[in-house]
């Protein structure tokens, strides 16, 4: 742990302000810090100090970057169980994070990290060895749109962060498909997810009332219902299956969308069945 500045105020109430907090993954200097916080602050009353477990009402965090390393990157062996220190029992009722950047480093060499810009992230009842509630909003890059999500996260797996459990639901609204080559329309999606960071099961649906192919330009309603497995460490997605209704035609597809190194795009493999589709 590295900390550039720490200020403790006793009066009129005990408060803490800090800057430049970095927490590294098993002391790895060849990787970015797992957590880096530009600024943080919280107040702690007398009752919060004296009672057990110790309580902190709220922590405000500004400009935090979370970097999740690939699975199996740990180089140092953990100490034997007898040498592990017991962590103090501290419960934080609420953590408010302003401007959080979540970077997930893929295990496969040559793949670009996944980068999520999260704003308005709030964590509730955060403690050691227990899951906590969260809700937040983030901006999706492609297609661009806003995602609102809430759920539970944890308990945190310090040895393999990618194995940390997560569950929740999301709402993705007003995503413009126009910048994507070959298609156009405005997409919205809702769904639920559960699993671990490196293997998330997602079930949901999408609606694009004005879907069209650019060369044709004639819009038609597109509705899909899908079940997918998403590798949260590299974005690879496995579809099983997707049921899409385009106009009055049912299209069933299953397969995978896998990113390839050096920003060359994706490899898309689909098995498609369209019984009684209308050629119009």
């Amino acid at each position: 742990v590295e900390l550039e500045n720490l200020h403790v105020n006793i009066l009129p109430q005990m408060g803490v302000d800090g800057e430049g907090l970095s927490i590294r993954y098993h002391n790895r200097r060849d990787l970015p810090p797992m957590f880096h916080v530009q600024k943080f602050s919280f107040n702690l009353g007398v009752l919060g100090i004296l009672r057990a477990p110790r309580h902190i009402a709220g922590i405000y965090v500004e400009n935090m970057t979370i970097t999740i390393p690939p699975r199996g990157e740990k180089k140092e062996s953990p100490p034997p169980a007898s040498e592990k220190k017991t962590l103090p029992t501290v419960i934080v009722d609420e953590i408010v994070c302003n401007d959080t950047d979540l970077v997930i480093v893929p295990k496969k060499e040559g793949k670009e990290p996944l980068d999520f810009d999260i704003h308005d992230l709030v964590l509730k009842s955060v403690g050691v060895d227990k899951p906590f509630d969260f809700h937040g909003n983030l901006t999706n890059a492609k297609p661009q749109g806003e995602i609102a999500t809430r759920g539970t996260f944890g308990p945190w797996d310090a040895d393999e962060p990618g194995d940390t459990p997560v569950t929740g639901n999301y709402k993705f609204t007003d995503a413009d498909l126009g910048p994507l080559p070959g298609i156009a329309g405005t997409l919205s999606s809702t769904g639920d997810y559960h699993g671990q960071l490196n293997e998330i099961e997602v079930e949901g649906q999408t609606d694009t009332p004005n879907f069209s192919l650019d060369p044709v330009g004639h819009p038609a309603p597109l509705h899909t219902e899908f079940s997918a497995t998403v590798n949260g460490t590299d974005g690879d997605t496995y579809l099983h299956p997707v049921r899409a209704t385009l106009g009055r035609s049912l299209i069933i597809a299953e397969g995978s969308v896998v990113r390839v190194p050096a920003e060359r795009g994706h490899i898309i493999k689909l098995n498609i069945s369209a019984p009684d589709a209308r050629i119009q």
Side-chain angles (χ1 to χ4, degrees):
V1 177
E2 300 168 359
L3 184 61
E4 294 178 3
N5 293 298
L6 184 68
H7 308 280
V8 179
N9 302 313
I10 303 300
L11 296 174
Q13 60 180 341
M14 178 172 286
V16 177
D17 296 286
E19 296 178 351
L21 172 64
S22 295
I23 302 175
R24 294 192 175 274
Y25 178 63
H26 294 281
N27 205 28
R28 292 284 301 273
R29 296 283 169 170
D30 56 324
L31 295 174
M34 181 179 295
F35 296 94
H36 178 77
V37 176
Q38 183 173 327
K39 294 181 180 180
F40 67 90
S41 62
F42 62 90
N43 294 322
L44 185 62
V46 176
L47 292 178
I49 298 174
L50 297 179
R51 67 178 179 175
R54 292 177 174 84
H55 270 261
I56 298 175
I59 298 178
Y60 178 77
V61 176
E62 185 175 344
N63 293 336
M64 176 170 62
T65 300
I66 305 171
T67 303
I68 304 296
R71 181 182 175 88
E73 275 293 296
K74 180 177 58 176
K75 289 185 177 180
E76 295 184 357
S77 299
S82 59
E83 297 181 16
K84 286 188 177 181
K85 296 181 179 180
T86 301
L87 295 174
T89 303
V90 178
I91 296 176
V92 182
D93 294 335
E94 182 179 78
I95 301 178
V96 178
C97 305
N98 181 28
D99 292 333
T100 301
D101 191 21
L102 174 61
V103 180
I104 302 179
V105 181
K107 187 173 183 179
K108 298 176 184 176
E109 292 186 6
K111 283 203 169 187
E112 292 295 316
L114 294 181
D115 196 337
F116 299 93
D117 181 17
I118 306 173
H119 44 89
D120 303 325
L121 176 63
V122 178
L123 318 178
K124 295 281 191 178
S125 299
V126 180
V128 178
D129 296 330
K130 63 186 289 288
F132 57 83
D133 297 330
F134 70 88
H135 63 85
N137 298 280
L138 62 144
T139 301
N140 191 67
K142 287 184 180 181
Q144 186 171 358
E146 291 297 308
I147 300 176
T149 182
R150 63 174 57 245
T152 61
F153 184 83
W156 176 258
D157 192 323
D159 292 327
E160 292 290 353
D163 290 346
T164 302
V166 61
T167 182
N169 57 69
Y170 74 90
K171 185 176 182 181
F172 186 22
T173 56
D174 299 331
D176 183 11
L177 302 180
L180 301 179
I183 60 175
T186 304
L187 177 144
S188 297
S189 178
T190 58
D192 302 292
Y193 55 87
H194 62 89
Q196 300 172 339
L197 280 179
N198 53 24
E199 188 172 331
I200 304 173
E201 301 294 330
V202 186
E203 295 183 355
Q205 60 183 8
T206 74
D207 280 291
T208 310
N210 55 345
F211 178 80
S212 67
L213 301 177
D214 284 349
V216 180
H218 181 72
L222 173 64
H223 172 80
T224 73
E225 298 175 356
F226 65 88
S227 173
T229 300
V230 179
N231 186 332
T233 64
D234 57 21
D236 291 350
T237 302
Y238 301 89
L239 308 171
H240 43 79
V242 175
R243 296 176 61 88
T245 303
L246 179 62
R248 288 182 287 169
S249 299
L250 174 63
I251 304 169
I252 303 172
E254 59 182 348
S256 61
V257 182
V258 178
R259 300 176 73 186
V260 293
E263 296 186 348
R264 291 170 52 198
H266 297 72
I267 294 176
I268 302 174
K269 296 181 179 180
L270 295 175
N271 293 321
I272 298 174
S273 171
D276 299 324
R278 299 183 64 85
I279 196 65
Q280 294 90 331

